[in-house]
Amino acid sequence: MSKTKIVVIGVGAVGATTAYTLLLRERVDELVLIDVNKDKARGDAIDMNHGLPFVGKTKVWAGDYEDCRGASIIIITAGAAQRPGETRVDLLKRNAAIFENIIDAVLQHNDDGILLIASNPVDIMSYFTWRKTQWPVERIIGSGTLLDSARFRYLIGEELGIDPRSIHAHIIGEHGDSELPVWSLANVAGTSIPLGEEKKERIFANTRDAAYEIISAKGATYYAIALALDRICTAILRDEGAVLNVSTLLKDYHGISDVYLGVPCVVDRSGVREVLKLSLSEREQRQLRMSAEKLQDLIRSMNE
Ligand code: 6V0
């Protein structure tokens, strides 16, 4: 049987925690860590290797771009982290330059893997990556609003005293300030969520602003995003057909095209196999279009 390999590019808070999560859950045979800061990648690889007597047999090493050869998934978490008070879009210019170099280097050694993007602003970075690689769109996936939806489900679950895994609720759109909650379809076992408008507004505000709160408290967010990235990798590696709110290219989605946004997608070995079209209310459709327009304006302004 051929070995499964995942490469993590950018071994900072998110990259290292993601690699550690993949290691703990024994997802792959080979795990490669790449960072411009080679000492950090080397140190993390040694540290993780010392834990191997306590977990399964994963080979972990600090590598270089040639190690992308044969990788099923290449996760990019490289880039500048969001500064306190900085919006995700302020990060755009700093991260776009970093991405140019990384993608060029990956393309020299891999042309059939799946690129999973987490660096912010994730929808724009994913769109750039798709444009630059010219790979089939299903193989360029952004982590999208999977983390936001998890936060949303957790907060609803807390309010109702119900396990968040039993809450079906979606955050869609930009992973960022213009994202929106799809309250019209939120449910527990098909029953609508019994919460008043005020509580719903508070839950959504806490979801949308969670990153700001965590960053001002401890400088970065990494545990939940690592679990979200692990979830996407697992759906791919096990060919699950799982429905996950990842960022993908929209084509006439409620009139929106040519932009990456987080929406429910069927994820399997091929990547994003299918985009699911939610029956949104008029208001939600309007909000989603505004989210798309915000990102499209930004993309345009970057090209000027
Ligand atoms: P960090 O801890 O500063 O790590 C970034 C890493 O990238 C560092 O180790 C850098 O050395 C490395 N790096 C920088 N340039 C390069 C390069 N050219 N090649 C290789 N490595 C490089 O940041 P952190 O891990 O906290 O965040 C990483 C990215 O993830 C940021 O853009 C965050 O905004 C983003 N996040 C995205 C989330 C999501 O839901 N998609 C959630 C949390 C953070």
Side-chain angles (χ1 to χ4, degrees), residues 12-14 35-36 77-81 95 98 118-120 143 147 175 221 225:
V14 175
D35 199 291
V36 69
T77 74
N95 277 339
I98 291 173
S119 309
N120 275 320
S143 61
L147 171 61
H175 168 61
T221 77
I225 179 62

Side-chain angles (χ1 to χ4, degrees), residues 5-156:
K5 186 201 271 187
I6 290 184
V7 177
V8 178
I9 302 177
V11 194
V14 175
T17 314
T18 301
Y20 187 57
T21 304
L22 292 165
L23 180 76
L24 287 182
R25 297 187 137 188
E26 302 179 25
R27 298 297 192 211
V28 281
D29 300 305
E30 299 181 335
L31 197 50
V32 183
L33 311 181
I34 299 178
D35 199 291
V36 69
N37 179 348
K38 287 187 187 297
D39 283 340
K40 172 70 165 81
R42 193 172 60 85
D44 275 338
I46 296 169
D47 199 0
M48 287 186 213
N49 273 316
H50 292 169
L52 290 185
F54 308 113
V55 289
K57 206 167 166 288
T58 303
K59 193 174 168 204
V60 188
W61 73 96
D64 221 319
Y65 283 94
E66 57 248 31
D67 293 303
C68 291
R69 192 167 298 124
S72 318
I73 305 171
I74 297 161
I75 306 175
I76 308 186
T77 74
Q82 209 169 358
R83 293 174 180 145
E86 184 181 42
T87 64
R88 290 192 177 88
V89 288
D90 289 337
L91 278 173
L92 177 56
K93 290 207 163 133
R94 288 201 287 147
N95 277 339
I98 291 173
F99 259 57
E100 284 279 333
N101 297 329
I102 291 176
I103 294 161
D104 280 338
V106 169
L107 288 178
Q108 284 177 30
H109 304 285
N110 190 310
D111 62 6
D112 60 358
I114 288 176
L115 275 163
L116 174 55
I117 315 298
S119 309
N120 275 320
V122 69
D123 305 289
I124 295 185
M125 302 316 292
S126 306
Y127 180 79
F128 276 1
T129 304
W130 169 64
R131 291 287 290 264
K132 188 161 170 61
T133 56
Q134 302 197 354
W135 282 8
V137 71
E138 61 266 24
R139 291 202 280 120
I140 309 290
I141 308 176
S143 61
T145 47
L146 186 59
L147 171 61
D148 317 68
S149 299
R151 288 172 171 154
F152 191 47
R153 291 164 64 201
Y154 165 76
L155 291 170
I156 296 172

Side-chain angles (χ1 to χ4, degrees), residues 1 26 29 40 59 88 101-102 150-151 180 201 213 215 224 230-231 233 253 291 293:
M1 228 173 72
E26 302 179 25
D29 300 305
K40 172 70 165 81
K59 193 174 168 204
R88 290 192 177 88
N101 297 329
I102 291 176
R151 288 172 171 154
L180 58 129
E201 270 169 33
E213 184 184 357
I215 289 167
D230 170 71
R231 183 71 196 85
C233 290
Y253 195 95
S291 190
E293 280 161 19

Side-chain angles (χ1 to χ4, degrees), residues 218-234:
K218 65 168 192 167
T221 77
Y222 37 90
Y223 293 120
I225 179 62
L227 285 164
L229 293 170
D230 170 71
R231 183 71 196 85
I232 300 168
C233 290
T234 307

